[in-house]
Amino acid sequence: MAERFGEHSLKAVGVRIDAEHPEGFIFDPHQPQLRVTDLGSVRGDGIFETMLVLDGKLRKLQPHLDRLARSAEITEIGIPPEESWRAAIDRGLEEFKTRGGGGDNISVRLTATRGVDGEPASEDPRWAGTYWVLLTPVPEKVMANRLKPISVTLLDRGYDSKASERAPWLLLSAKTLSYAVNMAAYRWAAQHGFDDVIFYTSDGQVLEAPTSTVLLLTKTADGTPKLTTPTLKTGILPGTSQGSIFAAAERAGWELGYGPITPEDLKAADHLWLASSLRLVSPIERIDDTEFATDEDYTAQLLDFLKEDLASSYPQEG
Amino acid sequence: MAERFGEHSLKAVGVRIDAEHPEGFIFDPHQPQLRVTDLGSVRGDGIFETMLVLDGKLRKLQPHLDRLARSAEITEIGIPPEESWRAAIDRGLEEFKTRGGGGDNISVRLTATRGVDGEPASEDPRWAGTYWVLLTPVPEKVMANRLKPISVTLLDRGYDSKASERAPWLLLSAKTLSYAVNMAAYRWAAQHGFDDVIFYTSDGQVLEAPTSTVLLLTKTADGTPKLTTPTLKTGILPGTSQGSIFAAAERAGWELGYGPITPEDLKAADHLWLASSLRLVSPIERIDDTEFATDEDYTAQLLDFLKEDLASSYPQEG
């Protein structure tokens, strides 16, 4: 199989899923796959998930499949059944290893688009769109910066904290392909000397980072660590890494909390992190002009929590 | 050339632009063109314009090229020079006619994406992304509904009217590919028995429709018609059809106005329309529970204004 891929593509594998290939078929991501009339390509009208193979094990597959299904429901995009995604991922991982891509630190991205405008791929809505899995090595930059302290700027997301509840057409809690604002926020941050962004609402509630979840650590009166994350009521994405960390933290006797969180709450926290599937956990050492102490032990503890990954379901807000 | 296209694709023509082909080369839009690593396809990270060939003439090319350049500046996506887009469009129109697509009611869509993640197509930023022109017949549904009265629902856009000024990373006045919310609003409208949507801000200012501009007609004390459109300060897109209509209306002695406009102002207007390149002008006969009189003469007048299309520049707000 490897020889039909160009040398440059040695470490990227695509698996396309369609009604005729419910278990997926391999493609070369360096070759064109998508039509210019695909609604994913021309209107950002699709959904995705990104997960990680770490220490040789695919992490948090079920939570990511659950969140993909939730995004599909919100956006009314039909998607293949779970067993199809699972089979395609297995096929991709096998191919990735066969082709010398190694077995660790692989990014596994699932994408589903609404398909080609006016030409559904199937009459069955579960197969009407365009679906693929993309396996690539975790980018070198992400690898190099893992666990390193980062600086963050707070940016206004424009919405207020009630927008998600009153305006479901804003799709706030779906993970769609319409990520131009997230990318623009990253450019803004880089141009102003920051590594990352935390969004807040126009009425002053902390939301999320463009591709990560915010975690706060405070200590209770008796010294028990308490992890807090912003409330989902604002329409942020439920973080799968946050969920995994919370599950293990609960088993370890830590306290858990779910916002609302203000920028002042951030500044009052003992320690802060951003968590996401590829970056794992990044301790925050600065938010705008405010410095924060980082703590290697707690960072290592959160990483251990994340790696426990025992949970098939996570503690839920509320 | 036609024979290498499938029969089904008889009426769609693509023209790809790159550094080696600054005047473009023809492709079959039914064949895959885009990689799954193209940032346009996986993050809605691109920009576009759609224009129309009407009565055999490509309409408002310069205003659309100007707006594309403005979107490119806001999003920091490099795009080829104007002469390249012009040459590619000419090539596409010629091919479209050669292949029996006819010479009228052709949709001409320009798209530019940020290109493939980490692999710019050129060192020169003007050619680093992915660029194409897509020519298709105007959809039958659009043709069938042209000039017909429509019902509209007002939907909250989540943002307040100052968000665009204070938060440029929201890209509010760029026409990006991240259109999932616009599409969701259309689905919401259809499911609730409406033909279209007008967005308003969380603080009660009228914005725009997902793909059109709002026009209000009122009469001054001496009977002169006055056309008003929402202010650009809210971050809405400057409408090219609105600009063209306003230019001709000004020549005809009409008065012009630029918001702010409230939902109450809409309800106090004598007549209302949505204007866009493909639909032209659609009179509004209902907004939620409020009925409006439509006036065929004024609708015909606006259409005439739009077809005059003499202006190389349009009256500007402020």
Side-chain angles (χ1 to χ4, degrees):
Chain A
M1 187 69 80
E3 59 273 23
R4 69 180 177 79
F5 288 70
E7 191 185 353
H8 61 301
S9 61
L10 198 63
K11 285 187 174 177
V13 170
V15 189
R16 184 84 176 253
I17 302 170
D18 61 29
E20 284 70 47
H21 307 83
E23 302 191 344
F25 61 95
I26 303 288
F27 69 87
D28 178 354
H30 288 79
Q31 297 303 317
Q33 282 294 317
L34 304 170
R35 288 166 53 180
V36 298
T37 43
D38 193 292
L39 292 168
S41 302
V42 293
R43 289 184 192 156
D45 203 3
I47 54 180
F48 75 105
E49 286 293 327
T50 305
M51 64 196 101
L52 174 68
V53 175
L54 181 67
D55 298 341
K57 188 183 158 201
L58 180 61
R59 302 282 166 164
K60 305 188 269 96
L61 174 56
Q62 190 60 50
H64 282 286
L65 288 171
D66 291 347
R67 196 168 66 179
L68 186 74
R70 191 165 161 273
S71 295
E73 198 180 327
I74 295 171
T75 57
E76 300 174 37
I77 291 174
I79 57 170
E82 256 184 46
E83 58 266 31
S84 180
W85 291 103
R86 288 176 179 272
I89 292 166
D90 286 346
R91 181 159 291 191
L93 287 170
E94 194 180 329
E95 179 74 14
F96 196 85
K97 285 171 197 166
T98 302
R99 291 179 41 242
D104 207 17
N105 284 303
I106 306 166
S107 159
V108 179
R109 192 193 209 254
L110 315 181
T111 308
T113 84
R114 201 178 300 279
V116 173
D117 202 3
E119 294 178 39
S122 165
E123 292 300 307
D124 182 339
R126 294 176 307 163
W127 306 95
T130 309
Y131 314 105
W132 71 89
V133 179
L134 177 67
L135 300 96
T136 51
V138 174
E140 281 175 27
K141 195 183 157 194
V142 173
M143 291 297 292
N145 289 321
R146 265 198 194 153
L147 306 182
K148 283 196 184 158
I150 56 172
S151 63
V152 170
T153 184
L154 292 180
L155 294 184
D156 186 338
R157 188 62 186 80
Y159 299 119
D160 61 89
S161 60
K162 306 288 184 194
S164 179
E165 280 178 18
R166 72 171 184 271
W169 47 86
L170 299 178
L171 307 177
L172 284 183
S173 50
K175 195 169 170 71
T176 77
L177 299 180
S178 287
Y179 252 46
V181 169
N182 291 330
M183 300 301 108
Y186 274 142
R187 285 194 300 279
W188 177 276
Q191 287 159 5
H192 292 79
F194 295 94
D195 301 311
D196 214 309
V197 169
I198 293 177
F199 284 126
Y200 62 94
T201 63
S202 57
D203 53 346
Q205 279 199 34
V206 172
L207 292 169
E208 60 198 340
T211 64
S212 311
T213 309
V214 180
L215 303 181
L216 292 76
L217 188 142
T218 50
K219 284 189 202 147
T220 58
D222 68 357
T224 306
K226 178 177 180 178
L227 278 177
T228 308
T229 195
T231 173
L232 298 179
K233 294 198 180 81
T234 53
I236 62 172
L237 288 186
T240 60
S241 299
Q242 169 266 318
S244 181
I245 289 169
F246 270 39
E250 190 172 55
R251 285 192 297 273
W254 290 26
E255 292 196 17
L256 304 179
Y258 304 90
I261 292 171
T262 65
E264 290 67 39
D265 293 331
L266 287 185
K267 291 176 183 175
D270 292 319
H271 306 291
L272 295 165
W273 294 266
L274 295 184
S276 73
S277 292
L278 297 194
R279 81 192 306 164
L280 307 176
V281 286
S282 299
I284 296 175
E285 64 177 2
R286 185 160 67 91
I287 297 184
D288 293 317
D289 292 333
T290 308
E291 308 273 344
F292 290 86
T294 59
D295 181 307
E296 288 189 10
D297 291 339
Y298 275 126
T299 299
Q301 180 66 70
L302 293 191
L303 184 60
D304 284 346
F305 284 161
L306 194 52
K307 287 185 173 183
E308 278 189 31
D309 199 27
L310 301 172
S312 59
S313 71
Y314 295 147
Q316 292 296 309
E317 174 181 344
Chain B
M1 188 68 80
E3 59 273 23
R4 71 179 175 80
F5 288 70
E7 191 183 355
H8 62 302
S9 61
L10 197 65
K11 285 186 174 178
V13 170
V15 189
R16 184 86 176 252
I17 302 171
D18 61 29
E20 284 69 48
H21 307 84
E23 302 191 345
F25 62 94
I26 302 287
F27 69 87
D28 178 355
H30 288 79
Q31 298 302 318
Q33 283 294 316
L34 304 170
R35 287 165 55 179
V36 298
T37 44
D38 194 292
L39 292 168
S41 303
V42 292
R43 291 186 191 154
D45 202 3
I47 54 179
F48 74 104
E49 287 293 328
T50 305
M51 63 195 99
L52 176 67
V53 175
L54 181 67
D55 298 342
K57 189 183 159 201
L58 180 60
R59 302 284 166 163
K60 304 188 268 97
L61 174 57
Q62 190 61 49
H64 282 286
L65 289 171
D66 290 347
R67 196 168 66 179
L68 186 74
R70 189 165 164 274
S71 295
E73 199 181 328
I74 295 171
T75 57
E76 301 174 36
I77 291 174
I79 57 169
E82 255 183 48
E83 58 266 31
S84 180
W85 291 103
R86 287 176 180 273
I89 292 166
D90 285 347
R91 181 160 292 194
L93 287 170
E94 193 180 330
E95 178 74 13
F96 196 86
K97 285 172 197 166
T98 302
R99 293 181 38 245
D104 206 18
N105 282 303
I106 307 166
S107 160
V108 179
R109 192 192 208 255
L110 316 181
T111 308
T113 85
R114 201 179 298 280
V116 173
D117 201 4
E119 295 179 38
S122 165
E123 292 300 307
D124 183 339
R126 295 176 306 163
W127 306 96
T130 308
Y131 314 105
W132 71 90
V133 180
L134 177 67
L135 301 96
T136 50
V138 173
E140 280 176 29
K141 195 183 156 194
V142 173
M143 290 298 291
N145 289 321
R146 265 197 194 154
L147 307 181
K148 283 194 184 162
I150 56 172
S151 63
V152 170
T153 184
L154 292 180
L155 294 185
D156 186 337
R157 189 62 186 80
Y159 300 118
D160 61 89
S161 60
K162 305 289 183 193
S164 179
E165 280 178 19
R166 70 171 185 272
W169 47 84
L170 299 179
L171 307 177
L172 285 182
S173 50
K175 195 170 171 73
T176 78
L177 298 180
S178 286
Y179 252 46
V181 169
N182 290 329
M183 299 301 108
Y186 275 143
R187 286 194 300 279
W188 178 277
Q191 287 159 4
H192 292 79
F194 295 95
D195 301 311
D196 214 308
V197 169
I198 294 178
F199 284 125
Y200 62 92
T201 64
S202 56
D203 54 344
Q205 279 199 34
V206 172
L207 293 170
E208 61 198 340
T211 63
S212 311
T213 310
V214 180
L215 303 179
L216 292 76
L217 188 142
T218 50
K219 284 191 201 147
T220 58
D222 68 358
T224 306
K226 178 176 182 179
L227 278 177
T228 308
T229 196
T231 173
L232 298 179
K233 294 198 180 82
T234 53
I236 62 172
L237 288 185
T240 60
S241 298
Q242 168 266 319
S244 181
I245 289 169
F246 269 39
E250 190 173 55
R251 286 191 297 272
W254 291 26
E255 292 195 18
L256 305 180
Y258 303 89
I261 292 171
T262 65
E264 291 66 41
D265 293 332
L266 287 185
K267 290 176 184 176
D270 292 321
H271 306 292
L272 296 164
W273 294 266
L274 295 183
S276 72
S277 293
L278 297 194
R279 81 192 306 163
L280 306 175
V281 287
S282 299
I284 295 175
E285 65 177 2
R286 185 160 68 90
I287 297 184
D288 294 318
D289 293 333
T290 308
E291 308 274 343
F292 289 86
T294 59
D295 182 308
E296 288 188 12
D297 291 340
Y298 276 124
T299 299
Q301 180 67 68
L302 293 192
L303 184 60
D304 284 347
F305 284 161
L306 194 52
K307 288 185 173 182
E308 277 189 32
D309 199 26
L310 300 171
S312 58
S313 70
Y314 296 149
Q316 293 295 308
E317 174 181 344

